[in-house]
Amino acid sequence: VEFGVGGGAHARTFEARVTAFSDVGAIAIVREVTEARRDQAIQAGQSRFLELLARGGEFTDVLTSLINIIEEQSPGMSGLILLLDSDGRHLRVGASASLPWEYVDTIEGMSIGPSAGSCGTAAYLGQRVIVENIAEDPRWAGLRDLALKYGLRSCWSQPVLDDDGKVLGTFAMYFRTAKSPTGAELKVIEMAARLVRVALEQRRAKEEVEVAYEQLERRIEERTREIEQRRRVAEGLREILAALNSSRSLDEVLELILEQAEDFLQAEAGALYRTQPDGQSLTMAAFKGLAAGGLDAQVNVGDGVL
């Protein structure tokens, strides 16, 4: 059987095994299994989160689910996930569950630095920051009154790092009593930071897939339009060739060529010009969409667009 002693962060779990002997009594073996059970709880929480992550969903909801799982394992703790802004100098709220929303809203966009609370300092240094007593720690000088206003007494922050050691964000554990972390709690905050990184990597991979899919769709659309244009050109050429091999007059053939060109280019008007025998002037041979009466007008070679 298992039984517990104490509560909260100081709770301890024991396992007892009793073997009875009918003639002399019984032998009882009791051993502490606190760390083993906490390790199992950490692994179970990690598995639950990875299952939620695999199902998909809104990014903020996924991060909030992680905080809920961690808070279940750490009674009296309030979690907070902050993500480093693209400018590399500010932290944005990624998710929160039990912290006062007024506090979370106030620290949105906070600057990182060597004395910027637990999270701002952890993001600045790229190292874990343990603040056992917010009321006395100099790193909380600019945020101390805000934290104490909402009853927050200690805060530990673990940076979220990528493979190259670049800071992506932080995972923080807040408590309403001044305290230092146990070994089990350090394992939890490290695990939580790793899972935030996994979620960020999955979001980035998903975004890359979406971008690649959009690019593929655009290429398909462009290729489809190109094929359609070639088909229209081929059909137009076949019609022109048929006209050339018919008894239609030159003027009719030129008008057909102009009509096909305007349709293909989606022009509103157009004209065909013929070079005169002297090679110095042009006259209009066919027109469409233009004012009538210009067939006899001449344009000198070298003048204007023509």
Side-chain angles (χ1 to χ4, degrees):
V1 295
E2 288 189 4
F3 61 93
V5 176
H10 302 289
R12 300 169 66 188
T13 304
F14 295 87
E15 180 183 75
R17 295 184 180 182
V18 181
T19 302
F21 295 92
S22 58
D23 52 346
V24 296
I27 297 177
I29 299 176
V30 180
R31 67 188 182 102
E32 184 174 357
V33 294
T34 304
E35 289 301 316
R37 295 297 177 263
R38 285 177 177 172
D39 287 343
Q40 291 174 0
I42 291 174
Q43 293 298 322
Q46 178 173 303
S47 298
R48 283 175 57 194
F49 174 73
L50 292 176
E51 290 175 3
L52 291 172
L53 191 61
R55 295 175 192 167
E58 292 294 328
F59 183 65
T60 300
D61 295 338
V62 170
L63 295 185
T64 302
S65 297
L66 173 60
I67 290 178
N68 288 329
I69 291 172
I70 302 301
E71 289 184 351
E72 288 176 7
Q73 298 178 358
S74 306
M77 185 274 290
S78 294
L80 175 66
I81 296 173
L82 297 177
L83 303 177
L84 191 64
D85 193 76
S86 58
D87 64 8
R89 299 191 300 272
H90 298 86
L91 291 170
R92 304 294 177 184
V93 175
S96 174
S98 61
L99 281 173
W101 69 265
E102 298 93 340
Y103 174 78
V104 176
D105 187 58
T106 302
I107 65 173
E108 165 66 23
M110 65 177 292
S111 299
I112 67 173
S115 299
S118 299
C119 292
T121 305
Y124 179 79
L125 298 175
Q127 300 174 357
R128 181 168 58 211
V129 172
I130 302 297
V131 173
E132 300 175 3
N133 191 342
I134 292 176
E136 299 177 357
D137 198 292
R139 290 168 293 188
W140 275 82
L143 297 168
R144 180 179 295 115
D145 292 343
L146 177 66
L148 297 179
K149 173 183 177 181
Y150 294 101
L152 305 175
R153 295 294 183 268
S154 61
C155 178
W156 320 326
S157 183
Q158 180 79 23
V160 180
L161 307 175
D162 65 9
D163 288 334
D164 298 324
K166 179 182 177 182
V167 176
L168 304 176
T170 60
F171 185 94
M173 301 174 75
Y174 284 84
F175 295 87
R176 285 166 174 75
T177 57
K179 57 175 292 184
S180 59
T182 64
E185 288 168 331
L186 289 178
K187 290 182 181 179
V188 170
I189 196 172
E190 289 173 356
M191 180 267 291
R194 287 196 300 270
L195 294 180
V196 172
R197 171 186 165 179
V198 171
L200 287 168
E201 290 176 343
Q202 188 200 52
R203 182 179 68 166
R204 182 176 58 191
K206 181 180 178 181
E207 291 173 347
E208 290 175 352
V209 169
E210 290 175 350
V211 170
Y213 184 75
E214 291 175 357
Q215 291 176 344
L216 179 60
E217 281 190 326
R218 285 197 297 268
R219 289 173 185 163
I220 292 174
E221 291 175 357
E222 291 170 358
R223 181 60 176 164
T224 301
R225 286 195 298 268
E226 181 182 345
I227 292 173
E228 175 61 19
Q229 289 174 343
R230 290 183 177 182
R231 183 192 63 78
R232 290 171 56 197
V233 170
E235 289 181 352
L237 288 175
R238 282 196 296 270
E239 187 173 349
I240 291 171
L241 288 173
L244 289 172
N245 291 322
S246 69
S247 60
R248 298 172 70 172
S249 66
L250 176 60
D251 290 341
E252 291 176 325
V253 173
L254 293 179
E255 289 179 358
L256 176 61
I257 293 174
L258 180 59
E259 182 179 340
Q260 293 289 352
E262 285 189 355
D263 179 61
F264 177 70
L265 298 173
Q266 297 182 339
E268 297 179 359
L272 286 174
Y273 287 81
R274 179 183 300 168
T275 306
Q276 293 303 299
D278 60 8
Q280 300 300 313
S281 61
L282 302 168
T283 58
M284 188 181 293
F287 67 93
K288 189 174 185 293
L290 299 174
L295 286 176
D296 296 331
Q298 291 189 350
V299 178
N300 293 326
V301 173
D303 292 344
V305 176
L306 293 176

